[in-house]
RNA sequence: GGCGGUAUCGUCUAGGGGUUAGGAUACGUGGUUCUCAGCCACGGGACCGGGGUUCGAAUCCCCGUACCGCUACCA
């Protein structure tokens, strides 16, 4: 049997990290077995703008490199892949279930159902519908309709024995049929519910392996009931542990951002990203700027392969030490047998560790490509940078080295692209390094060194500064920090000599002059 | 409440009747360096609890406990 897996997102407008993990495992399993991965859109309960709400989800998957063989925008032999467009199929399936006596029309009003449920709760029993308004014959139905009632369709669940199946992750599981509710599969307005739609679609799409989140484990019997009742061959089921909140055990939720932010590790990652957006002068949209969503990582400039690699290890491992996987290695090694049974909590700090390794391993040219869009957003680079500009970017990227952890970190080095008279000074650093006693004077005496040093390159600059330090009888720290602040405006940064070389002689002198003027003015900064 | 699921360092995990319980990440200390980042070295840190089986239990069994899910005309 050919392997076909699926992921069925609801068009919510964003791509949740936990959902991606589930999709990834489906994708990996399909690729591992040379099968197909299908994207199906679960939009049974939403009439709003599906296309717009789907956009971020599809974009997110494309960014991550999780491609689908069938589904929205690519089509496929089982189209349409939108549940909202498949109601005819569901209607037929409901009719079949009705005809086989596996479902019934129920004419209870919402109030009557609620009353039964509440009674059960009071008596601390599991609520099982009494079937009091069940219409098994057309005569019954006509009578109820005569009373002005409308019908939903409910599953007529067995009242004995157990539903057993072998879960590919959890092993054998069993549920008593008698404890299963007569679930509604068709609403009074004729629309259909998830379990019906899901069972029908899984069959129609030829899904061989249903790999989904753990929360569906308890739902499986009712889907098996539907599928078996319709005479479908059952898929294999694999229930993945859910992705838990950082440092916690509850399910990771987009809505609990505030709570997660009270956790230092999580906050650190969030704030790092927020800082990048702030530097870009872009507003942080709380709705999507959330490390629980994939959009966050794309926005800030994470490597998609780092995100995927991290997610792979959230609930799956190959052995006791392998952590870094290429796309091909993931596909080669992935197996459901090695999926964990317990929930894994999401740790953005660990994700960052993967990101750092990926980014550091990137050749400079690739980093330049990653970083350039951010310089464009800053207005520093045009869409078609010239060679000089590209070289400058490459030089900064190379000098920054592993300080650029995500592509957006380039915003911390804008001073290399700004006008000598315009780049900002960090006031505190300025006061400390140039405002200190004698600092400005030393800087003034150092200036001629930069005028004459030749070539104006890191190594010779280093040597020149060493000679200056010896001649002055000072420690290197007594001059180097002042120079750094003068030419970059900052107290921290990468190697000073690289910085000087990138800027070039003229810029360095101009910047030192500007700093000295500011120092004379006593303002500390402009 | 009922049913189902899960339980190893803070976190992700490996392992599993006899191990110094391994790795990663995070954290701490020291070193290197012009700051930062990094790198190097070192360090602290775990088998949910109680019974049972056994020469021996973190591992197997039972009972608890905690957490999660389902128990919707949500998905």
């Amino acid at each position: 049997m050919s392997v076909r897996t699926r992921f069925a997102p609801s068009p919510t407008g964003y791509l949740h990290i936990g959902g991606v993990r589930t999709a990834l495992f489906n994708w990996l399993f399909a690729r591992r077995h040379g099968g197909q991965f299908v994207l199906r859109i679960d939009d049974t309960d939403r009439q709003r703008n599906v296309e717009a709400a789907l956009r971020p989800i599809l974009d997110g998957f494309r960014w991550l490199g999780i491609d689908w063989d069938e589904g929205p925008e690519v089509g496929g032999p089982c189209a349409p892949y939108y549940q909202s467009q498949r109601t005819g199929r569901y209607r037929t399936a409901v009719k079949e279930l009705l005809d086989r006596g596996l479902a019934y029309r129920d004419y209870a009003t919402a109030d009557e159902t609620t009353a039964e449920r509440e009674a059960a709760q009071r008596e601390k029993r599991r609520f099982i519908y009494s079937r009091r308004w069940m219409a098994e014959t057309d005569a019954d139905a006509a009578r109820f309709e005569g009373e002005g009632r409308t019908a939903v369709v409910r599953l007529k669940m067995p009242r004995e024995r157990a539903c057993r199946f072998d879960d590919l992750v959890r092993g054998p599981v069993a549920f008593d049929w008698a404890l299963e509710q007569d679930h509604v599969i068709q609403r009074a307005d004729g629309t259909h519910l998830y379990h019906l739609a899901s069972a029908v679609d899984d069959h129609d799409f030829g899904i061989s392996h249903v790999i989904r989140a753990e929360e569906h484990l308890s739902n499986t019997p009712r889907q098996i009931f539907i599928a078996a009742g319709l005479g479908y061959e059952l898929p294999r089921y694999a229930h993945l542990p859910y992705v838990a909140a950082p440092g916690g055990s509850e399910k990771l939720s987009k809505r609990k951002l505030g709570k997660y932010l009270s956790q230092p590790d999580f906050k650190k990652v969030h704030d790092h990203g927020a800082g990048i957006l702030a530097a870009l002068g872009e507003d942080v949209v709380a709705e999507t700027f959330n490390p629980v969503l994939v959009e966050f990582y794309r926005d800030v400039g994470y490597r998609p392969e780092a995100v995927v690699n991290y997610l792979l290890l959230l609930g799956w491992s190959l052995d006791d030490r392998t952590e870094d996987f290429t796309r091909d290695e993931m596909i080669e090694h992935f197996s459901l047998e090695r999926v964990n049974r317990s929930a894994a909590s999401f740790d953005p700090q660990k994700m960052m560790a993967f990101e750092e390794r990926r980014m550091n391993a990137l050749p400079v040219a690739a980093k330049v490509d990653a970083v350039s869009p951010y310089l464009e957003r800053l207005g520093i680079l045009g869409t078609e940078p010239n060679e000089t500009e590209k070289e400058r970017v490459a030089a900064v990227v190379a000098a920054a080295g592993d300080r650029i952890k995500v592509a957006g970190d380039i915003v911390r080095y804008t001073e290399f692209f700004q006008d000598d008279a315009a780049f900002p000074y960090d006031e505190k650093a300025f006061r400390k390094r140039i405002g200190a006693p004698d600092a400005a004077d030393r800087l003034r005496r150092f200036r001629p060194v930069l005028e004459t040093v030749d070539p104006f390159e890191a190594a010779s600059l280093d040597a020149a500064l060493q000679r200056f330090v010896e001649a002055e009888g000072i420690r290197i720290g007594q001059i180097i920090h002042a120079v750094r602040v003068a030419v970059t405006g900052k107290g921290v940064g990468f190697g000073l000599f690289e910085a000087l070389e990138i800027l070039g002689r003229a810029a360095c002198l101009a910047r030192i002059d500007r700093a000295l003027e500011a120092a004379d003015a006593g303002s500390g900064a402009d």
Side-chain angles (χ1 to χ4, degrees):
Chain A
M1 182 175 64
S2 81
V3 166
R4 285 172 64 84
T5 62
R6 48 78 162 175
F7 181 68
S10 288
T12 51
Y14 56 86
L15 189 51
H16 189 277
I17 276 289
V20 172
R21 205 277 310 261
T22 302
L24 174 66
F25 283 20
N26 272 281
W27 180 83
L28 249 12
F29 189 76
R31 293 286 171 266
R32 170 75 183 85
H33 296 281
Q36 291 90 43
F37 173 61
V38 178
L39 215 51
R40 174 231 291 173
I41 308 308
D42 276 18
D43 55 352
T44 50
D45 72 331
R46 292 159 212 270
Q47 296 79 17
R48 56 201 173 91
N49 194 339
V50 170
E51 283 304 320
L54 201 51
R55 178 90 280 127
I57 295 171
L58 301 185
D59 286 350
F61 279 131
R62 290 212 170 91
W63 179 68
L64 291 166
I66 297 175
D67 56 340
W68 54 103
D69 302 297
E70 296 172 28
E73 298 184 356
V74 303
C78 308
Y81 291 89
Y82 294 80
Q83 292 191 326
S84 59
Q85 296 169 26
R86 302 177 54 75
T87 50
R89 265 302 286 136
Y90 306 144
R91 202 169 301 283
T92 308
V94 168
K95 187 172 185 313
E96 268 180 72
L97 254 9
L98 246 13
D99 289 347
R100 295 179 191 196
L102 297 170
Y104 61 89
R105 284 164 290 179
D106 174 43
Y107 284 90
T109 64
D111 285 348
E112 286 158 352
T113 313
T114 307
E116 281 201 11
R117 180 177 294 112
E118 285 174 355
Q121 268 166 9
R122 270 196 305 278
E123 293 160 36
K124 297 194 187 284
R125 304 182 267 114
R126 181 187 181 90
F127 166 56
I128 297 290
Y129 176 49
S130 66
R131 296 182 183 168
R132 188 170 154 199
W133 289 276
M134 168 171 74
E136 284 193 293
T137 64
D138 287 344
D140 289 340
R143 181 163 53 81
F144 286 133
E145 276 164 26
E147 293 173 19
R149 293 170 179 270
T150 51
V152 300
V153 177
R154 286 183 183 272
L155 254 15
K156 194 171 182 186
M157 300 301 283
R159 288 292 185 246
E160 54 190 12
R161 317 250 308 263
C163 173
R164 295 171 195 285
F165 61 96
D166 273 315
D167 190 279
L168 263 10
V169 170
R170 309 204 172 243
V173 265
F175 294 85
D176 279 345
W177 281 123
L179 267 10
E180 282 292 317
Q181 182 55 262
D182 282 354
H183 302 282
V184 174
I185 53 175
Q186 183 175 295
R187 299 184 181 94
D189 66 3
T191 60
H192 301 91
L193 280 99
Y194 169 76
H195 298 296
L196 187 269
S198 192
V200 170
D201 288 344
D202 284 341
H203 169 261
D204 285 7
F205 294 172
I207 302 304
S208 62
H209 298 258
V210 172
I211 303 167
R212 65 195 352 175
E214 181 186 5
E215 62 202 272
H216 288 292
L217 184 61
S218 310
N219 296 330
T220 305
R222 72 192 75 152
Q223 294 189 6
I224 286 179
F225 180 81
I226 294 169
L230 260 7
Y232 300 161
E233 186 186 342
L234 260 28
R236 301 303 306 273
Y237 293 96
H239 288 93
L240 272 19
Y242 60 90
V243 177
S249 56
E250 59 187 20
K251 205 166 75 172
L252 183 67
S253 161
K254 164 186 180 284
R255 285 178 292 279
K256 295 191 175 152
L257 176 62
K259 184 176 173 185
Y260 304 156
L261 286 176
S262 66
Q263 203 177 105
D265 290 356
F266 188 92
K267 187 177 192 315
K268 197 165 155 187
V269 167
H270 172 274
D271 291 353
H272 172 223
I276 289 170
L277 249 62
L280 290 168
E282 294 173 14
D283 287 337
V284 167
V285 181
E287 188 60 21
T288 52
F289 195 75
N290 180 341
V292 172
L293 308 181
V294 170
E295 284 89 322
F296 173 90
Y297 302 96
R298 192 166 59 158
D299 249 15
V300 169
Y302 281 65
R303 303 262 84 207
E305 56 272 27
V307 176
V308 166
N309 199 151
Y310 171 71
L311 257 16
L312 170 71
L313 266 5
L314 213 49
W316 181 87
S317 64
L318 175 64
D319 53 31
D320 63 338
R321 55 200 64 239
T322 315
E323 289 222 313
D324 293 325
F325 292 83
T326 63
R327 206 49 76 133
D328 286 345
E329 287 165 346
M330 289 181 199
I331 293 170
E332 182 192 341
H333 294 295
F334 184 77
S335 71
L336 256 14
E337 290 76 57
R338 292 199 61 86
V339 171
N340 244 80
R341 269 168 286 276
S342 52
S345 82
F346 177 66
D347 179 1
Q349 283 257 60
K350 180 122 186 180
M351 166 111 80
M352 180 56 100
F354 280 90
E355 166 64 19
E356 288 187 41
R357 262 179 279 164
R358 295 289 178 154
M359 189 58 90
N360 292 346
L362 233 46
V364 169
K367 283 195 198 180
V368 169
D369 288 342
V371 133
S372 293
Y374 291 87
L375 294 173
E376 282 173 32
R377 278 154 81 174
L378 283 165
I380 281 171
L381 229 50
T383 43
E384 297 288 333
N386 62 37
E387 279 312 307
T388 317
E389 289 172 324
K390 280 193 212 163
E391 278 170 29
R392 165 76 50 121
V393 176
V396 171
V397 161
D402 50 30
R403 291 168 189 80
I404 293 179
K405 300 177 193 303
V406 303
D409 283 332
I410 193 68
V411 302
R412 297 195 317 214
Y413 303 103
T414 50
E415 62 273 14
F416 291 96
F417 305 96
Q418 289 167 314
D419 198 83
D420 297 334
F423 75 93
Y425 286 113
D426 177 309
E427 283 193 42
K428 262 176 87 175
F430 194 98
R431 268 198 303 278
K432 181 173 177 195
R433 300 304 190 184
I434 298 180
D438 303 330
D441 287 337
R442 274 196 298 271
L443 186 58
R444 192 169 279 114
R445 286 197 298 280
F446 178 66
R447 189 185 183 284
V449 174
L450 291 185
E451 279 182 295
T452 55
V453 64
D454 188 70
F456 202 82
E457 288 168 5
S460 41
L461 286 159
D462 192 346
L465 186 123
Q466 290 298 341
R467 285 194 298 274
F468 175 80
V469 162
E470 278 165 36
E472 291 271 319
I474 58 172
R475 283 173 289 107
I476 197 160
Q478 289 176 283
I479 179 64
I480 203 160
H481 300 303
V483 178
R484 169 177 288 110
V485 173
V487 302
T488 69
K490 293 173 183 163
V492 297
F494 48 75
L496 177 67
F497 307 112
E498 284 78 8
L500 294 171
E501 179 180 332
I502 292 170
L503 286 165
R505 193 191 310 270
C508 289
L509 293 174
R511 289 175 177 211
I512 287 173
D513 289 342
R514 180 180 159 207
L516 288 173
E517 261 175 56
D520 290 344
S523 68
D526 47 3

